[in-house]
């Protein structure tokens, strides 16, 4: 049976980024319930909870990451947990009673062949998720990131960035819907604390005009999610 420590050493090729809208002022209660009843049973069945967060200045959001070895292990896990497990039968209703909507989910795969499940460092308290909608320009944006943007981030000592695109294999557990946008690039970056994040953000804002213009020309829409442990 896999425990939390073992799951951190796993390689994942499928990531769910799950953003729940909760009833007002229930984020802390939901997190306690989630950790008390779901984390260990999910790990034991091969669904690895990789990080849990609040959204800055929101008391009704619970965001978490769940990783899998591949799509085959994902669908097996989802059936084992949501259909067959005693855990979900006993405690699923209690979780659902605190939620308004749980369908804001992105199904992603890493641009790298695989990603270590500990890519969200446990000591890092801030995670920034950038969503880049690239209308027919995704390949060009990826090339620009690899050639110029990621080296720029490394030059200002931002080294904890991973890149993801949508997993376009069929979502074979439609009971849990997910966004699968073929034009989407997602970057996930972790920081030790808010002070480091704010400092690095100032440095990002000082990128060259040439790189900034190249990104603006290719990226249709950019949205940012600031997550706090």
């Amino acid at each position: 049976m896999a425990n939390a420590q073992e799951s951190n050493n796993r390689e994942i090729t499928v990531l769910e980024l799950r953003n729940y809208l909760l009833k007002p002022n229930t984020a802390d209660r939901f997190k306690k319930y989630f950790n008390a009843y779901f984390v260990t049973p999910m790990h034991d069945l091969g669904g690895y909870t990789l990080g849990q967060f609040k959204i800055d200045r929101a008391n009704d959001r619970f965001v978490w990451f769940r990783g899998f070895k591949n799509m085959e292990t994902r669908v097996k896990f989802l059936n084992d947990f949501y259909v067959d497990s005693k855990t979900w039968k006993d405690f699923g209703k209690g979780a659902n009673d605190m939620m308004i909507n749980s369908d804001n989910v992105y199904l992603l795969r890493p641009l790298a062949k695989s990603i270590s499940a500990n890519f969200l460092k446990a000591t890092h308290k801030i995670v920034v998720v950038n969503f880049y909608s690239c209308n027919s320009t995704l390949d060009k944006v990826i090339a620009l990131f690899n050639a110029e943007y990621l080296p720029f981030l490394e030059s200002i000592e931002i080294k904890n960035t991973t890149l993801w695109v949508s997993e376009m294999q069929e979502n074979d557990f439609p009971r849990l819907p997910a966004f699968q946008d073929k034009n989407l690039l997602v970057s996930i970056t972790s920081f030790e604390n808010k002070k480091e994040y704010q400092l690095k953000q100032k440095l990002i804002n000082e990128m060259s005009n040439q790189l900034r213009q190249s990104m603006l020309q290719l990226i249709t829409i950019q949205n940012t999610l600031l997550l706090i442990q």
Side-chain angles (χ1 to χ4, degrees):
M1 302 220 321
N3 59 31
Q5 182 62 40
E6 289 171 341
S7 73
N8 286 339
N9 297 322
R10 302 296 180 99
E11 296 295 310
I12 61 170
T13 66
V14 177
L15 182 72
E16 294 175 349
L17 197 169
R18 311 189 64 85
N19 183 348
Y20 293 169
L21 175 62
L22 307 175
K23 293 178 180 177
N25 301 311
T26 59
D28 289 335
R29 182 158 63 95
F30 184 90
K31 183 176 181 178
K32 290 178 182 177
Y33 191 92
F34 182 87
N35 280 284
Y37 298 120
F38 296 144
V39 170
T40 296
M42 283 195 292
H43 281 208
D44 289 345
L45 292 173
Y48 305 124
T49 55
L50 308 179
Q52 305 169 29
F53 305 92
K54 296 180 179 180
I55 294 179
D56 192 28
R57 298 186 179 88
N59 61 15
D60 58 357
R61 287 286 179 177
F62 179 78
V63 179
W64 63 293
F65 296 78
R66 180 163 61 191
F68 302 94
K69 181 179 178 181
N70 51 44
M71 286 293 282
E72 290 74 24
T73 59
R74 174 181 181 267
V75 72
K76 182 180 186 306
F77 163 83
L78 295 176
N79 279 290
D80 288 347
F81 185 75
Y82 291 106
V83 178
D84 297 330
S85 78
K86 187 176 186 301
T87 296
W88 187 250
K89 290 172 184 175
D90 289 347
F91 302 109
K93 184 179 184 302
N96 287 331
D97 286 346
M98 287 184 271
M99 288 191 283
I100 295 174
N101 186 285
S102 61
D103 292 345
N104 187 353
V105 177
Y106 286 85
L107 188 61
L108 305 172
R109 64 174 178 84
L111 278 183
K113 185 176 180 180
S114 64
I115 293 287
S116 173
N118 65 2
F119 77 97
L120 294 173
K121 297 182 183 299
T123 57
H124 286 198
K125 303 304 180 186
I126 300 289
V127 170
V128 178
V129 183
N130 281 300
F131 300 88
Y132 302 97
S133 296
C134 311
N135 192 357
S136 77
T137 61
L138 180 60
D139 289 344
K140 293 180 180 178
V141 172
I142 291 172
L144 178 65
F145 271 52
N146 285 328
E148 297 187 45
Y149 187 57
L150 291 182
F152 164 69
L153 293 183
E154 290 185 2
S155 75
I156 57 175
E157 298 186 352
I158 297 177
K159 300 178 181 180
N160 300 305
T161 297
T162 53
L163 297 180
W164 308 76
V165 293
S166 293
E167 173 54 71
M168 296 307 296
Q169 289 189 54
E170 179 184 1
N171 176 16
D172 41 12
F173 195 82
R175 175 174 159 182
L176 294 184
F179 293 113
Q180 294 172 280
D181 181 353
K182 66 180 181 180
N183 295 310
L184 182 69
L185 177 68
V186 176
S187 69
I188 302 175
T189 306
S190 61
F191 300 91
E192 289 187 3
N193 49 48
K194 203 162 189 175
K195 181 179 180 180
E196 184 198 11
Y197 161 70
Q198 291 171 339
L199 173 62
K200 298 300 184 183
Q201 192 61 47
K202 289 180 181 179
L203 297 175
I204 290 174
N205 291 338
E206 295 174 2
M207 79 170 70
S208 70
N209 286 332
Q210 180 179 355
L211 177 55
R212 187 185 306 278
Q213 288 302 314
S214 295
M215 294 176 68
L216 289 173
Q217 288 170 7
L218 294 174
I219 295 168
T220 310
I221 302 172
Q222 176 184 349
N223 292 309
T224 300
L225 200 56
L226 177 60
L227 305 178
I228 302 174
Q229 282 204 47

